[in-house]
């Protein structure tokens, strides 16, 4: 009887731990979606969240500490920091969407062609992918943005080009896996044409992992675009952009720490939220 009671207690304790863990995981996912939703609303409707300008400062309001009037303080030109972060969301998010779109579309197309065609075409495409992967991504991004010129769009295109190789390799591996499945062979055996089987069976069943990777790349794109903005290759002043905000505040970090710390925390929070959402897509696939 004692052993049976001890076993039931252990089982109940293990079940309670699993339920607690599941709830914490679910709460983390919900919190991640809420963070992304708020940032998207910042980008689309900044006037809903602040009445201050993101580019125009107020005289005699320089380097004010956080207060009820300016929740996150002001910068060296008297501009409200919260307003600049909110208005800067459109720059960072639009750049991330462009970067992920370039990598997703071009990379998936190359991976689809390589995995479906096989042979010499596969070899040529994947050798080009290997060359791109051998170059450090930040160095390649800097090289491309220097050729294209400064600005958020050019920085986003540069980041997107560096992501093409990763998308292409993942898409090819998924296409090869699906191409060897029994239902695909059955579709070919029943008289399906190559293009029909490709669009109806191979492509839809290969996109789940690619979409999950795109969510992961979204956070990485925000981080890389912010890095380029911090180095001075992104949006020019006074345009509010998260990386530029961090760069502008570093000269005042001893006197006004919030100018660098708060935008940096926003970038970290958005990147972590995008990574958490990406992990949920991967779990759905498995």
């Amino acid at each position: 009887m004692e052993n049976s009671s001890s076993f039931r207690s252990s089982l109940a304790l293990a079940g309670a731990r699993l339920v607690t863990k599941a709830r914490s995981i679910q709460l983390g996912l919900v919190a991640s979606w809420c963070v992304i939703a708020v940032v998207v609303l910042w980008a689309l409707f900044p006037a809903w969240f602040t009445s201050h300008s993101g580019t125009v400062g107020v005289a005699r309001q320089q380097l004010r500490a956080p207060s009820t009037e300016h929740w996150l303080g002001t910068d060296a030109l008297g501009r409200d920091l919260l307003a600049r972060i909110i208005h800067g969301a459109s720059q960072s998010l639009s750049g991330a969407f462009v970067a992920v779109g370039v990598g997703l579309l071009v990379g998936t197309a190359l991976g689809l062609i390589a995995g479906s065609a096989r042979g010499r075409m596969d070899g040529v495409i994947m050798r080009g992918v290997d060359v791109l992967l051998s170059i450090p991504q930040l160095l390649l991004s800097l090289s491309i943005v220097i050729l294209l010129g400064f600005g958020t769009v050019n920085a986003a295109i540069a980041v997107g080009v560096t992501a093409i190789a990763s998308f292409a390799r993942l898409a090819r591996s998924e296409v090869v896996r699906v191409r060897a499945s029994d239902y695909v062979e059955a579709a070919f055996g029943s008289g399906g044409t190559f293009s029909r089987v490709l669009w109806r069976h191979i492509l839809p069943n290969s996109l789940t992992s690619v979409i999950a990777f795109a969510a992961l790349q979204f956070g990485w794109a925000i981080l890389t675009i912010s890095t380029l903005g911090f180095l001075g290759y992104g949006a020019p002043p006074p345009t509010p952009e998260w990386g530029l905000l961090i760069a502008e505040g570093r000269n005042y970090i001893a006197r006004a720490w919030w100018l660098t710390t708060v935008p940096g925390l926003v970038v970290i929070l958005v990147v972590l939220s995008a990574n958490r959402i990406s992990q949920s897509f991967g779990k759905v696939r498995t």
Side-chain angles (χ1 to χ4, degrees):
M1 290 294 292
E2 292 181 359
N3 292 336
S4 177
S5 177
S6 176
F7 175 75
R8 284 196 296 268
S9 299
S10 299
L11 188 62
L13 181 60
R17 288 177 177 175
L18 288 175
V19 171
T20 302
K21 185 177 181 180
R23 287 178 177 174
S24 64
I25 292 174
Q26 192 67 23
L27 288 175
L29 181 59
V30 171
S32 298
W33 277 111
C34 289
V35 168
I36 297 299
V38 168
V39 174
V40 170
L41 289 176
W42 282 357
L44 296 177
F45 310 104
W48 288 4
F49 301 91
T50 180
S51 59
H52 296 283
S53 172
T55 57
V56 180
V58 179
R60 295 185 296 277
Q61 293 287 325
Q62 295 88 349
L63 299 178
R64 292 295 179 91
S67 63
T68 55
E69 183 181 1
H70 301 285
W71 289 4
L72 297 180
T74 61
D75 63 6
L77 297 179
R79 297 171 296 193
D80 184 81
L81 180 60
L82 177 59
R84 286 181 63 75
I85 292 175
I86 291 173
H87 286 279
S90 61
Q91 295 289 326
S92 297
L93 289 191
S94 61
F97 277 118
V98 171
V100 174
V102 171
L104 177 64
L105 295 177
V106 179
T108 302
L110 291 176
L112 182 63
I113 295 171
S116 302
R118 305 284 187 87
R120 183 174 298 177
M121 180 68 70
D122 182 18
V124 171
I125 293 176
M126 296 315 296
R127 295 300 76 76
V129 167
D130 291 339
V131 171
L132 286 177
L133 289 175
S134 66
I135 305 173
Q137 291 183 327
L138 183 58
L139 176 61
L140 183 59
S141 299
L142 287 172
S143 301
I144 295 173
V145 79
I146 289 173
L147 293 175
L148 295 178
F150 301 166
T152 302
V153 176
N154 291 340
I157 293 174
V159 173
V161 171
T162 63
I164 289 175
S166 299
F167 276 104
R169 173 162 286 187
L170 177 60
R172 178 190 176 277
S173 65
E174 288 296 302
V175 168
V176 170
R177 179 185 62 81
V178 174
R179 178 67 176 79
S181 302
D182 293 338
Y183 63 88
V184 174
E185 296 296 337
F188 279 117
S190 62
T193 62
F194 178 80
S195 59
R196 182 178 178 83
V197 173
L198 179 67
W199 290 106
R200 187 168 183 176
H201 298 286
I202 297 178
L203 183 59
N205 290 286
S206 303
L207 286 180
T208 304
S209 295
V210 177
I211 292 174
F213 185 66
L216 182 64
Q217 289 293 106
F218 181 78
W220 170 83
I222 290 178
L223 186 60
T224 307
I225 291 173
S226 298
T227 302
L228 293 175
F230 179 84
L231 296 175
Y233 296 101
T239 304
E241 192 273 326
W242 291 344
L244 180 62
L245 296 184
I246 299 173
E248 290 178 341
R250 60 182 170 175
N251 295 327
Y252 307 94
I253 194 168
R255 179 181 175 186
W257 54 267
W258 55 87
L259 296 179
T260 297
T261 304
V262 177
L265 290 176
V266 170
V267 172
I268 292 173
L269 188 59
V270 173
V271 171
L272 291 178
S273 299
N275 291 352
R276 180 64 186 85
I277 293 171
S278 172
Q279 292 176 1
S280 69
F281 288 153
K283 290 179 180 179
V284 169
R285 178 183 180 275
T286 56

